[in-house]
Amino acid sequence: MAGIYLHIPFCKQACHYCDFHFSTSMGLKEQTVQAIARELALRQEYLQGQTVHTIYFGGGTPSLLSQQELQLLLQTIRQLFEVSEEVEITLEANPDDLSPAKLQELRAAGINRLSIGLQSFHEPHLRLMNRAHTAAESLQSVKHAQAAGFSNITVDLIYGIPAPDHTIWQQDLATLFGLGVQHVSCYALTIEPDTALGRWSKKGKFMPSEDDFTAQQFEILLAQMRQQGFAQYEISNFCQPGYESRHNSNYWRGVHYLGVGPSAHSFNGSSRQYTVAHNKKYVDALAQGVVPFELEELTLADQANDYLLTTLRTTWGCDLVKLRDKYKYDLAATHAAYLLSLQQKGLAQIKDEVLYLTDQGKLLADQVTLDLFVEA
């Protein structure tokens, strides 16, 4: 079992919170797609013959690709790799791209799962984030996708946006539940330094929400999701039964994946590869038959920390036996007092030698994980 991730580094405009690699210039789009196809060929052996069960178009904005460009990349994958007949093919899309005609193109190209970046149904919040779509398009895009025959749809929402109270967030959730989607990813607004919001915050032109305000919205989210029958299988991800993201679930389980395109990451269990985050350098290198990447060999400690980082975010938790036997890290022995403290505070529980974070613990997941890391 393996996955392939394709990074499509183009956007119509820069969202004020985003620090992913992308370009708003489309001048190199065709050449980049061709270069990604060449990279797939050059890295055919990376997955060592494993069957590909998931294909994920991320970005950037993959919905900017034409039907022909998508078909080229998917045909290339099928020619080079063993692809499961039940493969999950996800494409991230912005609402303003999803016209009925575009949706038919996506279905014809082979996309069977849509990830729609709604972020909010509140117009002022969309303008604050500099999203390219309107609140009306947020609603229309999902309805158009359903009418086009997509039955596996996930949407993104952002919480923790500054507001007088939680009314807007509660309205966003109510609107969301009315759409009948199968999966939701919800992220707290994070202020990264090299973004518009980060620069405004540094200059005092933008005041982020207090941590308590954001935590309260997360708690509202958890309660509402449960009421609506959504299972939280990872801190930020919720689904109706049977609609987990197979691609992301495999990532959290440590399944190997090949990442292609500028800034994409790959993982094969013992190392990671990081492709150059520069479109022209990427295109120029592939034109010479070279994949421009950096290699990071993972020590056993690195692998143990990766396992902690991914599994503690999930509903299936961190298997302490696997951590001890495979990664040679006896967490129960080295952090006995800390683990006991987490349980006494209601932040974690251990059942059948599996460590889980509670709802309160998930609010502190990053810090708890850091506290449990193997020291270098």
Side-chain angles (χ1 to χ4, degrees):
M1 178 183 294
I4 293 178
Y5 171 84
L6 303 97
H7 189 79
I8 309 302
F10 300 99
C11 291
K12 291 179 181 177
Q13 61 192 50
C15 296
H16 287 163
Y17 57 85
C18 180
D19 69 343
F20 291 166
H21 171 66
F22 67 92
S23 171
T24 55
S25 170
M26 303 295 158
L28 284 176
K29 184 164 79 77
E30 182 179 347
Q31 295 97 312
T32 301
V33 171
Q34 295 291 337
I36 290 173
R38 284 193 290 274
E39 184 185 359
L40 285 164
L42 289 170
R43 303 184 70 186
Q44 182 180 4
E45 303 304 320
Y46 186 81
L47 297 176
Q48 298 181 325
Q50 296 182 69
T51 300
V52 173
H53 285 260
T54 66
I55 299 170
Y56 194 104
F57 289 88
T61 311
S63 51
L64 292 175
L65 294 181
S66 68
Q67 179 180 346
Q68 292 73 26
E69 289 169 333
L70 283 169
Q71 287 175 331
L72 168 66
L73 294 174
L74 288 171
Q75 287 169 2
T76 300
I77 290 172
R78 292 184 186 277
Q79 290 167 1
L80 297 170
F81 300 89
E82 182 70 30
V83 178
S84 168
E85 292 184 2
E86 304 297 322
V87 63
E88 173 192 88
I89 307 176
T90 303
L91 180 131
E92 292 180 354
N94 278 352
D96 46 300
D97 292 329
L98 296 181
S99 66
K102 181 67 175 184
L103 286 158
Q104 291 300 333
E105 288 183 4
L106 295 177
R107 279 180 57 81
I111 305 303
N112 56 30
R113 184 174 183 269
L114 276 182
S115 175
I116 308 177
L118 304 183
Q119 315 313 351
S120 178
F121 298 101
H122 185 62
E123 197 70 42
H125 283 181
L126 292 173
R127 302 288 68 78
L128 171 69
M129 294 184 283
N130 200 37
R131 295 294 293 170
H133 67 278
T134 65
E137 286 172 324
S138 287
L139 286 167
Q140 291 167 356
S141 64
V142 176
K143 294 177 180 178
H144 286 329
Q146 291 166 333
F150 283 95
S151 58
N152 192 353
I153 299 172
T154 179
V155 301
D156 289 354
L157 287 181
I158 292 178
Y159 62 93
I161 302 170
D165 54 33
H166 300 307
T167 302
I168 296 170
W169 178 231
Q170 291 169 327
Q171 290 172 343
D172 270 0
L173 289 174
T175 302
L176 163 73
F177 295 132
L179 289 173
V181 296
Q182 292 78 27
H183 187 286
V184 186
S185 296
C186 293
Y187 305 100
L189 180 65
T190 303
I191 311 303
E192 301 291 351
D194 193 24
T195 63
L197 290 183
R199 292 186 287 272
W200 295 345
S201 179
K202 186 176 181 179
K203 294 177 182 178
K205 295 181 179 180
F206 172 76
M207 293 296 293
S209 297
E210 297 289 341
D211 289 346
D212 285 349
F213 179 87
T214 301
Q216 289 165 7
Q217 295 210 331
F218 181 69
E219 291 167 347
I220 291 170
L221 171 68
L222 295 185
Q224 292 279 334
M225 285 290 175
R226 289 196 184 100
Q227 288 177 12
Q228 296 294 327
F230 283 80
Q232 183 192 27
Y233 67 103
E234 191 271 344
I235 288 178
S236 302
N237 287 272
F238 306 80
C239 69
Q240 293 289 350
Y243 285 95
E244 294 88 351
S245 166
R246 285 162 48 195
H247 185 86
N248 290 342
S249 295
N250 286 345
Y251 165 78
W252 296 314
R253 288 188 167 101
V255 172
H256 299 180
Y257 61 89
L258 169 63
V260 295
S263 81
H265 295 178
S266 302
F267 171 74
N268 66 0
S270 60
S271 69
R272 293 190 185 279
Q273 293 184 13
Y274 306 89
T275 309
V276 65
H278 191 287
N279 292 358
K280 188 173 189 308
K281 289 180 180 178
Y282 175 81
V283 168
D284 289 347
L286 266 300
Q288 301 300 318
V290 176
V291 180
F293 67 85
E294 294 182 8
L295 177 67
E296 178 191 6
E297 297 288 354
L298 300 176
T299 66
L300 205 57
D302 292 331
Q303 294 175 48
N305 289 340
D306 274 356
Y307 184 71
L308 279 165
L309 181 66
T310 53
T311 58
L312 282 179
R313 296 182 60 87
T314 67
T315 189
W316 48 86
C318 176
D319 186 333
L320 300 180
V321 175
K322 181 176 181 178
L323 190 62
R324 182 183 65 237
D325 293 348
K326 183 174 182 178
Y327 303 113
K328 311 306 177 188
Y329 185 34
D330 192 341
L331 193 66
T334 57
H335 287 79
Y338 184 64
L339 291 175
L340 179 60
S341 174
L342 290 176
Q343 293 175 86
Q344 291 174 337
K345 293 176 181 177
L347 301 176
Q349 59 180 349
I350 297 177
K351 183 178 180 182
D352 297 329
E353 295 196 83
V354 177
L355 173 65
Y356 306 90
L357 295 183
T358 64
D359 287 351
Q360 289 301 308
K362 289 170 186 173
L363 289 169
L364 305 171
D366 291 344
Q367 185 58 55
V368 170
T369 302
L370 284 173
D371 290 342
L372 293 174
F373 269 0
V374 182
E375 295 185 8

